[in-house]
Amino acid sequence: MITLEQKLKIQAYLDGELSQSEAKKVEFLMASDQEAKQVFEELKCAADLLQNNEPEIKMPISRELFWNRIYNEIQKDEDESVSVFDYIRHLKYLLLNTKYLVPVAATIIALISIFLIKDFAKPIEDYLVSIETTSEEVGSYSFRVQSENMFVVWIYNKDKSDEKNIESDLIYDDDLFLQ
Amino acid sequence: MKWKSLNLVLTCKVLVILAFLIPATPAKAANLKLSIHLVWGSNEEKLPNSNYKKLNEEMANKLKKIFKWKYYFEISKQTVDVPTRSTKKFNVSKKCDIEITEMEGPRVEVKLYGEGKLINRTVKSLTKDELFTIAGDDKNETAWFVIIKLLEEK
């Protein structure tokens, strides 16, 4: 004779609510007790019966709901079939539409200007050259030859400076900036 | 096909504001990789010293276009690294040393020492492929050139 508690355990086992260890105990009970097995079979049968014969209530479909469903299905298909060409076409439309043309053109010009300004707006120190000749016996000239991408600091001996000057050592005179 | 309304004007405004907010790319602090050449200029083709060798054609041609000397010889050449925000001194010849300091941005400070005495100090920005030359004439119508070249942009 199985107790009410055991019956409830069998029900819980059927519903899959038991832990692994408890489930094993119930399985052992059903294997060893014929009555327990019979209770399990009855409960399982009742559960199957309820599950397979649950009445389905169908709501009446209104006209509006019917057409909405069709519209939604069409919309879904169209959204899925949007290609790259559709985007390009849309973009073209937006750009050619005078309403958008002005702000888009203004933005492009503004962006280009900003990046150009930023490029030119490097710190002025980057372009400055500071040259200091620390010896009293020597002096220096400096010049840049743009075409050869060369910056030269020419150091000369002050004692001999009367004899010749920097130009006598140079053969290049175009594009030369003596400082 | 139903397009969501796209507010282009607002998008444009946002783009312009963003462009202003994005700062100009700051110069990264990085090690300087340089080459330092010590070159001798002469009007005589004969090597003044057996240890000297002919300067590479590209550099020699550049010098020939600017200076009066016909022949250029490489006395020494070294590839050096200057760690970020630090100073390193390099011996170029027995009498000449170069001290290079890596500074903020693309700038460097170059000090030229002759026989241990500071001769010249130059602070300038270095760009890749630019030749920064410190030079002077010497006896017997010759000249010396210390050529510093940035090998890798910071």
Side-chain angles (χ1 to χ4, degrees):
Chain A
M1 184 74 181
I2 60 164
T3 61
L4 179 64
E5 195 184 345
Q6 283 173 322
K7 277 184 183 175
L8 289 171
K9 287 275 181 196
I10 292 168
Q11 177 66 60
Y13 173 78
L14 194 65
D15 295 339
E17 293 168 352
L18 293 181
S19 66
Q20 211 171 353
S21 61
E22 279 182 315
K24 274 187 179 174
K25 280 179 193 171
V26 173
E27 279 168 11
F28 179 74
L29 178 71
M30 288 189 299
S32 58
D33 192 327
Q34 192 60 35
E35 196 188 345
K37 195 179 178 185
Q38 200 179 337
V39 169
F40 173 76
E41 293 295 339
E42 280 170 11
L43 287 170
K44 192 171 185 295
C45 191
D48 288 346
L49 208 66
L50 280 171
Q51 202 169 23
N52 295 331
N53 295 290
E54 200 168 8
E56 194 180 331
I57 300 167
K58 287 197 174 178
M59 295 291 287
I61 299 172
S62 67
R63 178 183 286 268
E64 196 183 344
L65 184 65
F66 176 77
W67 287 113
N68 262 346
R69 267 190 192 175
I70 293 171
Y71 175 78
N72 285 340
E73 285 299 314
I74 295 167
Q75 192 71 35
K76 195 179 157 193
D77 288 347
E78 280 187 349
D79 284 348
E80 281 168 3
S81 65
V82 172
S83 66
V84 179
F85 297 106
D86 294 322
Y87 283 107
I88 293 169
R89 210 178 302 131
H90 182 66
L91 193 67
K92 198 176 161 188
Y93 161 76
L94 287 173
L95 290 176
L96 291 177
N97 191 333
T98 47
K99 187 181 164 188
Y100 299 115
L101 187 63
V102 173
V104 168
T107 307
I108 292 167
I109 293 167
L111 288 173
I112 292 169
S113 309
I114 289 164
F115 283 108
L116 284 176
I117 289 165
K118 277 185 175 172
D119 193 42
F120 284 112
K122 286 180 181 171
I124 192 76
E125 302 88 62
D126 286 1
Y127 298 101
L128 291 177
V129 181
S130 154
I131 300 165
E132 192 185 331
T133 305
T134 50
S135 171
E136 288 179 359
E137 296 151 12
V138 297
S140 69
Y141 294 105
S142 69
F143 55 93
R144 172 179 289 282
V145 182
Q146 208 68 36
S147 61
E148 302 306 320
N149 198 12
M150 188 184 290
F151 183 84
V152 181
V153 176
W154 186 263
I155 293 170
Y156 63 91
N157 197 327
K158 279 181 181 170
D159 299 340
K160 295 176 185 173
S161 62
D162 291 341
E163 294 172 21
K164 60 175 187 173
N165 56 34
I166 178 69
E167 281 85 356
S168 65
D169 291 329
L170 298 173
I171 56 169
Y172 199 95
D173 53 3
D174 297 332
D175 192 22
L176 191 74
F177 305 105
L178 273 177
Q179 291 170 350
Chain B
M1 182 164 50
K2 189 184 171 190
W3 289 95
K4 286 184 179 178
S5 60
L6 178 65
N7 195 334
L8 263 185
V9 179
L10 183 68
T11 312
C12 294
K13 282 178 183 173
V14 171
L15 279 174
V16 172
I17 292 165
L18 279 177
F20 270 110
L21 291 177
I22 298 166
T25 316
K28 284 184 246 169
N31 288 8
L32 271 182
K33 193 167 190 181
L34 307 161
S35 71
I36 305 174
H37 285 79
L38 177 62
V39 174
W40 198 258
S42 169
N43 283 324
E44 288 181 26
E45 196 174 1
K46 192 186 156 194
L47 287 172
N49 186 312
S50 57
N51 293 329
Y52 297 2
K53 58 179 184 179
K54 274 198 166 181
L55 182 66
N56 69 70
E57 211 166 308
E58 187 194 356
M59 210 175 261
N61 283 338
K62 279 176 182 273
L63 292 170
K64 273 181 203 172
K65 283 180 187 169
I66 301 167
F67 301 101
K68 65 176 184 180
W69 292 276
K70 290 176 189 165
Y71 305 101
Y72 295 88
F73 306 99
E74 185 182 283
I75 302 171
S76 71
K77 180 194 172 183
Q78 47 189 308
T79 304
V80 300
D81 273 299
V82 183
T84 177
R85 305 292 178 271
S86 63
T87 303
K88 258 192 164 180
K89 201 168 185 176
F90 306 100
N91 182 248
V92 180
S93 74
K94 279 180 190 174
K95 293 180 180 178
C96 176
D97 294 297
I98 287 281
E99 189 180 275
I100 299 171
T101 304
E102 199 272 341
M103 298 174 81
E104 198 181 340
R107 289 187 306 150
V108 290
E109 180 193 58
V110 180
K111 285 179 179 171
L112 174 78
Y113 292 88
E115 294 176 329
K117 192 178 166 189
L118 180 63
I119 305 291
N120 178 268
R121 175 185 168 271
T122 303
V123 178
K124 76 179 292 299
S125 60
L126 273 188
T127 54
K128 202 182 171 201
D129 298 328
E130 180 193 9
L131 298 179
F132 171 40
T133 306
I134 305 172
D137 51 5
D138 210 329
K139 57 195 171 188
N140 302 327
E141 287 294 303
T142 59
W144 53 270
F145 302 84
V146 176
I147 302 169
I148 299 166
K149 186 180 177 185
L150 180 67
L151 298 175
E152 282 173 20
E153 201 88 52
K154 275 203 277 184

